[in-house]
Amino acid sequence: MQNNKNIWYHIIALIVALIWGETFINSKILILHGMSPSEIFVVRFLLAYICIWFISPKRLFCRNWKDEFWMLLLGVTGGSLYFVSENMAVGLTYVNNVSFIVSTAPLITTLFALAIYREFKAGWQLIVGSILALAGVGIVIFNGQVVLRLNPVGDLLALGSSVSWAVYSLLIRKVSKNYNAAFLTRKVFFYGLITMLPVFAVEPWQFPLRDFLKPEIYVNALFLGVVASFLCFALWSWVIEKLGALKTTNYTYLNPLTTIVASAIFLDEPMTTIAYIGSGMILAGVIMANLQKNMV
């Protein structure tokens, strides 16, 4: 029975990772229609916060102020800092570049875990699997192109986003033992929104509200807010509680599979047959990395 439950946790992590891979395209479309990264983030998290309030409305604060501080850090690392840097990167560089760099989050999470948790040791399955998956990500994203098209500012922002998500993954592992997934997710949305407000003092809201009546705006915004944030964040927090931070985060290697297909369909970014080889490498790498036991 326990093995069957674990399989379902892995399936949920897989589905969430694939959905998140598609969000690069949604953000790119909204940016092309005039929304700024900070505006996209506020709309996304506000919709998610409204949705989650209906299933987690009772408790407002944590048991103590120390835990409340951890929630603030979660809101920054998994919310405002992560998404604004990611969305800014999408506006400055190629979607594929961002997807590839953000996909290094599992590797960065592993390095942080090795540095923080003395009881955690990286076995050969995790090392070989991580390298194989990351190599597969490179093949899938760049479709066999030898020359990497760099944009230093955009790529550094994407790397910052990846580091932020690695910190978030380890932090949420720490607090998930004391609070349920719905409460954690609601706090992430709340503090993500609160820490974003100072940005609008420097860069005021400019996107016309009437444009939200356009299908290309409200469809992408609803998908980002309701599906990719409200639903996926709650499921991700729950799965981290069940599987651990590293096993769950390894599934973000799969993000590019959705990104490359969606970018070919919606943004006319070409995909070659070599990407199928990379996809197989990613899947094999994720499976191999998750074979290691005693992961944090």
Side-chain angles (χ1 to χ4, degrees), residues 15-249:
I15 293 171
V16 171
L18 293 176
I19 289 173
W20 279 344
E22 204 275 334
T23 60
F24 293 102
I25 310 304
N26 301 104
S27 297
K28 187 77 172 184
I29 291 172
L30 291 176
I31 288 172
L32 291 174
H33 282 84
M35 290 191 74
S36 70
S38 53
E39 291 167 346
I40 293 172
F41 172 81
V42 167
V43 170
R44 177 175 181 167
F45 265 41
L46 184 59
L47 285 170
Y49 187 76
I50 293 170
C51 289
I52 205 166
W53 183 260
F54 291 101
I55 64 171
S56 180
K58 295 181 179 179
R59 170 180 283 178
L60 293 179
F61 299 103
C62 297
R63 298 187 183 100
N64 54 67
W65 289 109
K66 183 179 179 181
D67 285 354
E68 198 70 30
F69 175 72
W70 291 122
M71 298 297 177
L72 171 62
L73 290 182
L74 284 172
V76 173
T77 56
S80 54
L81 179 60
Y82 173 77
F83 282 105
V84 170
S85 56
E86 179 185 276
N87 287 342
M88 288 178 67
V90 167
L92 291 171
T93 189
Y94 295 94
V95 169
N96 290 350
N97 283 38
V98 177
S99 182
F100 173 71
I101 295 170
V102 171
S103 293
T104 62
L107 183 59
I108 296 172
T109 306
T110 300
L111 294 175
F112 284 173
L114 287 169
I116 296 170
Y117 303 105
R118 292 184 179 181
E119 71 275 15
F120 172 67
K121 304 294 181 183
W124 70 268
Q125 300 101 322
L126 179 60
I127 295 172
V128 174
S130 297
I131 293 173
L132 183 62
L134 193 58
V137 167
I139 291 175
V140 168
I141 290 298
F142 299 107
N143 284 312
Q145 297 178 28
V146 178
V147 180
L148 177 65
R149 298 170 293 183
L150 295 175
N151 182 306
V153 176
D155 294 341
L156 282 174
L157 283 168
L159 180 60
S161 182
S162 183
V163 171
S164 182
W165 188 257
V167 174
Y168 170 81
S169 299
L170 293 178
L171 283 176
I172 203 163
R173 170 190 178 270
K174 176 182 177 66
V175 299
S176 63
K177 300 173 184 178
N178 300 320
Y179 301 96
N180 63 48
F183 178 78
L184 285 173
T185 306
R186 199 191 80 216
K187 299 298 283 188
V188 170
F189 295 152
F190 175 77
Y191 281 117
L193 288 168
I194 291 297
T195 53
M196 177 55 59
L197 293 180
V199 173
F200 289 96
V202 179
E203 183 185 349
W205 184 287
Q206 295 183 348
F207 189 73
L209 295 181
R210 64 178 179 276
D211 284 359
F212 282 104
L213 297 176
K214 298 178 179 178
E216 60 269 25
I217 302 299
Y218 68 72
V219 169
N220 286 286
L222 285 172
F223 180 84
L224 288 173
V226 178
V227 179
S229 294
F230 161 60
L231 182 60
C232 288
F233 261 78
L235 290 174
W236 194 255
S237 299
W238 181 60
V239 172
I240 282 181
E241 178 188 346
K242 302 299 182 181
L243 295 181
L246 293 186
K247 283 195 175 192
T248 307
T249 307

